[in-house]
Amino acid sequence: MLQIAINGQLHRFQERLTILDALRFVKIEIPTLCYDERMKPLGGCRLCIVKANGSPHPVIACSTQISDGMVIETHTHEIEQLRRSLLQLLAHRYPADFVREFPDKEFHRLIRAYGLEEECTGKTSPELIDESNPYIRVDMSQCIYCYRCVRICEEMQGQFVWKIWNRGDAVRILPDSETNLRESSCVSCGACVDTCPTGALEDKSVLSLGAASNWTRTTCAYCGTGCEMNVGTREGQIVVIRPVQDAPVSRGHLCSKGRYAFDFVHAQDRVTHPMIRVNGSWQPASWDEAISFAAGALGRIVARHGSASVGVLGSARATNEENYLAQKFARTVLETNNVDCCARVCHAPTAAAMKLMLGAGAATNSFDDIERARTILICGANPTENHPILGARIKQAALNGTRLIVIDPRKIELTRYAALHLQLRPGMNIPLLNAIACAILEEDIQDEEFLNERVSQFQEFRHFIQEWTPERAALLCGVEARKIREAAHIYAREKPAMCIHGLGVTEHIQGTEGVMCLVNLALLTGNIGKPGTGINPLRGQNNVQGAAHMGCDPGTLTGSIPIKEGSDLFATVWQRPIPTQQGLNLLEMMDAAEEGHFKALWAIGYDIFLTNADAHATRRALSRLELVIVQDMFMNETAKEFGSIFLPAASSFEKTGTFMNAERRIQRVRKAIEPVGGSRPDWEIICDLARAMGKGDLFSFRSPEEIWNEIRSVWKAGAGINYERMEYGGLQWPCPAEDHPGTQILHKTTFSTGTQAALRLVDYKVPEESADDEYPFILNTGRTLYQFNAGTMTARTPNSLLCGGDFLDISTQDAQRLELFESELVRVRSRYGEAVLPIRITDSVAPGELFASFHTPHVFLNFLTGPHRDKFVDTPEYKLTAVRIERYSGL
Ligand SMILES: Nc1nc2c(c(=O)[nH]1)N[C@H]1C(S)=C(S)[C@@H](COP(=O)(O)OP(=O)(O)OC[C@H]3O[C@@H](n4cnc5c(=O)[nH]c(N)nc54)[C@H](O)[C@@H]3O)O[C@H]1N2
Ligand SMILES: Nc1nc2c(c(=O)[nH]1)N[C@H]1C(S)=C(S)[C@@H](COP(=O)(O)OP(=O)(O)OC[C@H]3O[C@@H](n4cnc5c(=O)[nH]c(N)nc54)[C@H](O)[C@@H]3O)O[C@H]1N2
Ligand code: SF4
Ligand code: SF4
Ligand SMILES: [Mo]
């Protein structure tokens, strides 16, 4: 401890604090301008000067460390005069209007505090204004050269957009395009706006709708990263969203979706009253009518065709509480295990493989391990677009020396930061990952101690894997043997090594086995159960981890408990027997519908028609259903073509509850505005329908917190997580008791399956599709930064101006050969269907390969994808379809 005198008072502090940290600790305010705790201190504005040890030369508080016996004075007359003259210099160039108009800006408050309003004599001029970005207005007449925008873009987003031009009085800050922000490499994360202490960078929404009068802390409703945000509202409308500074995941950062893509909430075509389809056309209905219509129709179908003929799909976008109710409804009201959610088409293979091998179907580690790892292996995931806050953290880690190994058929952004990019052919994970395992054993760089203590089946594995030489794999996967060996070397030697994976592993016919191969690598090298290691799926939506974990899965109850194991406990809590008949998963429901013995589906927040693979097959199945209840905010594609009843749901800004992110963290969702129009939170709708079907006693919840408390009573590993404890930052399960701190790292000393985990011998199967004369290209599909899945939300925001729609990425070589030009529309045909979309010529895809996103209904990409599925969990093959390209004549 160090002893320091501040303004005549003695204080004790830990070592290695700056003077500014120490002052803030004891709540002594001094002015700062260029300081923001999200970045390294610059010491540029000099406003934080203080007098130290009586010296006539003041020191800069943000970049000077405290030392024992220091004597600090913070507000002497002399220091205050110096601060005033520093501010005066800035004021002379600053336009006065803004100081009056936006009194709360950091700089404006200081101008007032030092009585300098009259000295603001600068002028704004049109050439300093840039309105090109749909969200951000730039007016550099208000720039005071604190360089916070430059630094935050580099140090947090890793984008390096803002550049400093010229020096001295002629200094200017301009984006890297040298023209405007829209043409620059900006990804509209809004970090620079958030830190700007003046109004040089400002959210357009604040300028047009006014400043927020109320703030609500909540969790982002897009991806599984789980960033926390402050939602600013004014007169019942969202006007701005800002990052939460002390959020454990996002640490004061958001991506363009979380930060800006909220306009869908007030979209003109949001469905705000229930609707019933009568003789083919939608008719508005009251909630009573819609609920009793739905209850009657469901009841009749169950009576006529039995419980096995109906099913429910929970929503990965809705809360844990709502998904818990959805599966409870299926199991107690409809008396069927036919319940699923879109984890089926996403990371079901991950959950299955990890549950089988390690005992828990969830990420073994936490996002904080990104900064602890020396090596990060990224297999089939594109974090800078799909989990951008994690992408940004990975980029910073790489800039600080962490080695990245990227395994992806495309040159994703992170390959620019990678020590090694293994650009394999799509569908070739098994040969490649097996060969890495082989190379590890060939070189004898496995972790013997870990293998002895914690791993079984080693001899069998060694025998099996020796066949998978890097040379053999190279022929299949197209990655040179030398590179495979190098990857093995880095992963096994540069420890701790963390593995992060995505859909490039799971959405293949060998998806589950692909994840098993990754687990094998972690077991061989001892990269599990320790900081900076593990197997970490980047789960998709805000609550897909939660939806499945709450029991929206035909085979498991809440807490991922197999039905047989949990049925006694659940039967006691629910006071109903748990159905014993094996339930159908989503894909099986579709098959059964096509065959005619599945009759009714309630799809909560899930656009299956647009997003399931092989849309022709989905259409055949859905068109045979007698009843399709769609519960969504928008008339999605499933509702448009097949819906019988539409129940309008409130968005997550309009309700309370919790989400579970990809690192097992459960965080609060809080209501910022009232449900729009007549829409209602999903949990209320489910309870009403249960009541209408005579099971109201099991659904008598008055709040999401009451539902959560019932969840805690059936789910042991979540029992310690109550609403109060989740107030700031949430908690990671397992957390079995209220005094348990939550768990960052799983499997530290044992696996949930026992002390040892068994290696798996995974054979390679030839993909169902390959390029031939008729279909010479392999189509890989996935996502883009600015659009989100079915696009219902992002397409109704200015994100569409940043990325208009779906593109077909094609290599320069192929585009030239086919004489195609940039943005030209082409018709793509597969064995299953066709789609028309514009091409984008890029060398991020290899010749012979194509990549397209699936976000827009007018392209409807899934007419191209086929019927092949993972053999363990039925996840569709989304990432490998043979196609051909035809000139599009407009017909
Ligand atoms: N902006 C945005 N963010 C999103 C979403 C969105 O729609 N938009 N969706 C959310 C959802 S639901 C999910 S599940 C996540 C998904 O996030 P990711 O898992 O990152 O998703 P994808 O882009 O579908 O695929 C990842 C990568 O797999 C690669 N790949 C394809 N085939 C192979 C292969 O055989 N081997 C290997 N190693 N790689 C392969 C692709 O080239 C692609 O770069 O993103 C979530 N976040
Ligand atoms: N070709 C191809 N197809 C794919 C994929 C791919 O990589 N390639 N990826 C697949 C994957 S991983 C996934 S997860 C699926 C995603 O497919 P979906 O789950 O259908 O997509 P989302 O857009 O996430 O959301 C579904 C719906 O939820 C609604 N919604 C949002 N919030 C709420 C709420 O609080 N309550 C209710 N009731 N509704 C709400 C939205 O309006 C939207 O219509 O797509 C799959 N399809
Ligand atoms: S919005 Fe984000 S990416 Fe764009 S310039 Fe600002 S900090 Fe950089
Ligand atoms: S990274 Fe994901 S959770 Fe975070 S702001 Fe972006 S979309 Fe939301
Ligand atoms: Mo997903």
Side-chain angles (χ1 to χ4, degrees):
M1 292 295 254
L2 305 177
Q3 185 155 302
I4 288 157
I6 304 175
N7 300 337
Q9 284 240 318
L10 283 182
H11 296 274
R12 289 163 73 82
F13 297 102
Q14 292 169 312
E15 289 176 51
R16 279 199 286 277
L17 290 181
T18 64
I19 298 175
L20 185 63
D21 293 333
L23 292 175
R24 293 204 164 165
F25 199 77
V26 294
K27 302 214 160 41
I28 295 174
E29 278 299 315
I30 57 166
T32 57
L33 264 183
C34 69
Y35 183 80
D36 178 327
E37 57 188 23
R38 292 171 286 188
M39 302 167 242
K40 292 194 278 288
L42 176 74
C45 74
R46 304 178 56 84
L47 277 188
C48 68
I49 45 172
V50 293
K51 203 169 160 87
N53 303 332
S55 159
H57 304 294
V59 297
I60 297 177
C62 71
S63 47
T64 309
Q65 293 222 340
I66 53 170
S67 55
D68 201 25
M70 222 179 203
V71 178
I72 292 168
E73 289 164 274
T74 59
H75 286 84
T76 64
H77 179 69
E78 191 188 344
I79 290 281
E80 282 291 276
Q81 281 307 314
L82 270 171
R83 288 182 183 141
R84 188 168 193 280
S85 43
L86 287 166
L87 279 167
Q88 210 164 19
L89 285 175
L90 297 173
H92 287 164
R93 301 204 305 196
Y94 201 81
D97 297 354
F98 300 119
V99 182
R100 280 190 294 274
E101 231 174 293
F102 298 97
D104 286 337
K105 295 275 175 196
E106 273 174 76
F107 181 63
H108 302 174
R109 270 190 261 133
L110 288 172
I111 290 289
R112 273 202 317 282
Y114 286 83
L116 292 167
E117 292 101 316
E118 300 304 317
E119 306 203 23
C120 293
T121 49
K123 292 260 167 317
T124 182
S125 74
E127 79 274 5
L128 296 174
I129 293 174
D130 169 9
E131 307 234 37
S132 62
N133 181 292
Y135 294 116
I136 301 169
R137 182 178 193 266
V138 183
D139 176 357
M140 281 299 172
S141 69
Q142 295 176 71
C143 179
I144 54 166
Y145 306 98
C146 62
Y147 304 126
R148 277 163 71 165
C149 55
V150 181
R151 288 148 59 216
I152 204 159
C153 188
E154 293 178 6
E155 292 178 32
M156 209 162 67
Q157 176 52 36
Q159 213 63 24
F160 300 86
V161 173
W162 295 108
K163 301 280 179 222
I164 304 167
W165 304 82
N166 308 326
R167 295 278 151 203
D169 270 0
V171 66
R172 273 202 69 182
I173 297 176
L174 276 176
D176 54 8
S177 56
E178 297 182 42
T179 55
N180 60 39
L181 203 51
R182 181 72 186 88
E183 286 165 7
S184 74
S185 60
C186 169
V187 290
S188 299
C189 72
C192 53
V193 183
D194 193 62
T195 193
C196 178
T198 68
L201 301 175
E202 186 55 280
D203 288 340
K204 285 184 175 173
S205 65
V206 171
L207 296 170
S208 62
L209 302 170
S213 53
N214 252 313
W215 291 94
T216 309
R217 180 174 174 151
T218 188
T219 306
C220 178
Y222 283 107
C223 87
T225 303
C227 300
E228 281 188 277
M229 54 204 329
N230 283 315
V231 181
T233 55
R234 188 188 176 94
E235 291 155 18
Q237 206 184 353
I238 302 174
V239 295
V240 65
I241 290 179
R242 287 271 163 118
V244 166
Q245 302 291 330
D246 62 351
V249 173
S250 41
R251 304 169 169 179
H253 195 190
L254 290 171
C255 81
S256 66
K257 293 179 293 302
R259 177 81 158 83
Y260 291 120
F262 54 83
D263 271 8
F264 69 87
V265 170
H266 306 290
Q268 291 292 315
D269 63 343
R270 171 121 179 234
V271 185
T272 56
H273 50 76
M275 309 230 265
I276 300 175
R277 187 150 4 215
V278 185
N279 298 327
S281 66
W282 286 109
Q283 304 291 334
S286 69
W287 272 106
D288 282 348
E289 286 163 346
I291 292 286
S292 63
F293 189 92
L298 272 174
R300 277 191 302 278
I301 293 175
V302 172
R304 204 173 325 132
H305 303 286
S307 287
S309 70
V310 294
V312 180
L313 297 175
S315 177
R317 312 302 299 278
T319 62
N320 289 313
E321 292 76 358
E322 291 163 339
N323 282 288
Y324 173 78
L325 292 189
Q327 57 91 38
K328 183 177 179 182
F329 183 96
R331 291 181 164 122
T332 61
V333 182
L334 301 176
E335 298 177 359
T336 175
N337 285 312
N338 294 345
V339 57
D340 209 357
C341 68
C342 75
R344 181 65 45 203
V345 302
C346 189
H347 272 286
T350 298
M354 293 180 68
K355 179 114 182 161
L356 185 74
M357 291 180 75
L358 306 171
T364 63
N365 284 57
S366 298
F367 299 150
D368 281 353
D369 289 290
I370 291 171
E371 287 81 17
R372 296 179 187 128
R374 270 180 76 198
T375 298
I376 305 179
L377 172 76
I378 298 163
C379 189
N382 182 17
T384 55
E385 300 206 54
N386 303 333
H387 300 83
I389 294 310
L390 302 179
R393 284 177 62 176
I394 295 169
K395 276 202 263 181
Q396 291 303 329
L399 290 168
N400 288 325
T402 306
R403 285 165 170 264
L404 303 187
I405 306 170
V406 174
I407 306 183
D408 201 297
R410 298 188 301 146
K411 290 191 185 109
I412 57 168
E413 185 186 349
L414 285 178
T415 57
R416 282 191 251 144
Y417 298 78
L420 205 56
H421 175 206
L422 308 183
Q423 194 170 9
L424 81 177
R425 297 193 185 106
M428 292 300 151
N429 291 321
I430 309 292
L432 177 63
L433 298 173
N434 273 349
I436 295 179
C438 175
I440 289 171
L441 296 184
E442 255 180 17
E443 293 203 30
D444 217 16
I445 47 178
Q446 67 275 20
D447 185 334
E448 285 293 347
E449 200 185 317
F450 190 84
L451 284 168
N452 286 336
E453 279 176 27
R454 309 266 322 255
V455 181
S456 63
Q457 297 280 82
F458 180 61
Q459 291 315 328
E460 293 84 342
F461 184 81
R462 182 192 278 277
H463 182 73
F464 163 81
I465 210 73
Q466 65 192 12
E467 307 282 316
W468 276 106
T469 59
E471 283 70 19
R472 175 180 168 206
L475 294 174
L476 289 166
C477 70
V479 178
E480 292 161 74
R482 176 187 59 81
K483 281 195 167 178
I484 299 177
R485 291 205 166 82
E486 206 180 327
H489 216 265
I490 298 176
Y491 184 75
R493 299 302 285 273
E494 304 281 334
K495 294 206 276 190
M498 176 178 194
C499 174
I500 285 177
H501 74 274
L503 303 180
V505 181
T506 60
E507 287 181 344
H508 281 302
I509 54 161
Q510 284 195 280
T512 306
E513 289 159 300
V515 180
M516 289 175 178
C517 290
L518 290 173
V519 178
N520 281 343
L521 292 181
L523 292 175
L524 283 178
T525 53
N527 276 312
I528 202 153
K530 300 168 193 145
T533 68
I535 300 295
N536 300 284
L538 296 186
R539 301 302 306 261
Q541 295 118 317
N542 53 336
N543 198 37
V544 63
Q545 179 85 49
H549 207 77
M550 289 299 115
C552 287
D553 180 291
T556 56
L557 296 163
T558 315
S560 231
I561 306 292
I563 292 179
K564 264 210 183 108
E565 224 175 275
S567 55
D568 286 350
L569 170 66
F570 280 76
T572 320
V573 177
W574 290 352
Q575 298 177 342
R576 284 289 182 293
I578 308 305
T580 48
Q581 194 183 353
Q582 175 63 44
L584 303 176
N585 68 35
L586 163 66
L587 282 295
E588 292 166 337
M589 289 181 208
M590 294 298 106
D591 295 345
E594 205 175 329
E595 289 158 15
H597 37 261
F598 185 78
K599 302 290 185 187
L601 181 65
W602 180 9
I604 304 174
Y606 187 177
D607 192 358
I608 39 177
F609 181 35
L610 184 71
T611 62
N612 265 7
D614 197 355
H616 284 296
T618 315
R619 172 178 272 156
R620 284 196 302 275
L622 292 177
S623 59
R624 293 211 58 186
L625 293 179
E626 287 176 21
L627 176 72
V628 178
I629 307 173
V630 174
Q631 186 161 313
D632 205 296
M633 296 178 287
F634 297 100
M635 203 36 91
N636 64 26
E637 298 310 298
T638 308
K640 268 187 212 155
E641 194 162 330
F642 309 102
S644 335
I645 304 174
F646 189 99
L647 303 175
S651 79
S652 60
F653 294 114
E654 302 153 36
K655 62 188 178 190
T656 60
T658 59
F659 293 152
M660 188 190 293
N661 79 352
E663 55 164 10
R664 296 171 276 105
R665 183 183 297 279
I666 305 174
Q667 306 188 99
R668 292 278 296 274
V669 176
R670 298 181 185 83
K671 181 164 152 183
I673 53 171
E674 287 303 317
V676 170
S679 70
R680 298 179 63 202
D682 293 294
W683 68 271
E684 286 186 21
I685 305 173
I686 301 170
C687 290
D688 268 9
L689 193 51
R691 231 167 271 137
M693 294 186 74
K695 297 280 166 61
D697 55 325
L698 302 179
F699 291 80
S700 60
F701 303 100
R702 282 162 306 172
S703 70
E705 190 172 3
E706 281 188 13
I707 307 169
W708 182 253
N709 287 334
E710 182 171 306
I711 295 170
R712 293 168 62 206
S713 74
V714 290
W715 176 36
K716 281 199 203 82
I721 306 176
N722 61 32
Y723 265 38
E724 209 178 303
R725 292 189 72 199
M726 282 187 275
E727 197 62 40
Y728 302 100
L731 275 166
Q732 289 172 279
W733 63 265
C735 178
E738 285 189 3
D739 57 359
H740 189 287
T743 309
Q744 278 214 327
I745 302 174
L746 300 180
H747 318 306
K748 274 189 175 155
T749 50
T750 56
F751 300 101
S752 331
T753 40
T755 41
Q756 293 197 321
L759 291 160
R760 304 278 303 194
L761 319 186
V762 178
D763 270 321
Y764 157 74
K765 275 175 227 64
V766 179
E768 300 280 347
E769 307 247 329
S770 58
D772 56 21
D773 288 348
E774 209 183 340
Y775 299 102
F777 287 98
I778 291 298
L779 174 71
N780 165 8
T781 69
R783 5 188 87 64
T784 53
L785 174 64
Y786 297 111
Q787 295 298 335
F788 196 86
N789 288 352
T792 48
M793 292 150 75
T794 44
R796 289 176 173 85
T797 72
N799 267 33
S800 288
L801 302 171
L802 294 166
C803 170
D806 295 320
F807 294 91
L808 182 73
D809 286 350
I810 183 169
S811 68
T812 316
Q813 191 180 320
D814 288 327
Q816 278 172 355
R817 192 169 46 80
L818 298 176
E819 296 177 357
L820 297 171
F821 55 85
E822 182 69 16
S823 305
E824 176 175 352
L825 281 178
V826 293
R827 188 190 302 276
V828 183
R829 241 186 245 281
S830 71
R831 290 186 177 84
Y832 317 99
E834 59 179 71
V836 174
L837 72 173
I839 66 158
R840 201 164 56 177
I841 302 171
T842 159
D843 288 321
S844 67
V845 294
E849 290 168 22
L850 305 166
F851 177 84
S853 56
F854 65 100
H855 304 299
T856 61
H858 69 270
V859 169
F860 223 121
L861 195 86
N862 278 315
F863 278 115
L864 288 170
T865 47
H868 317 298
R869 299 173 188 171
D870 174 84
K871 75 166 186 223
F872 293 87
V873 294
D874 280 344
T875 299
E877 172 64 81
Y878 281 113
K879 304 261 186 272
L880 201 164
T881 311
V883 298
R884 67 167 175 265
I885 297 178
E886 295 170 2
R887 275 232 133 68
Y888 179 65
S889 56
L891 298 172

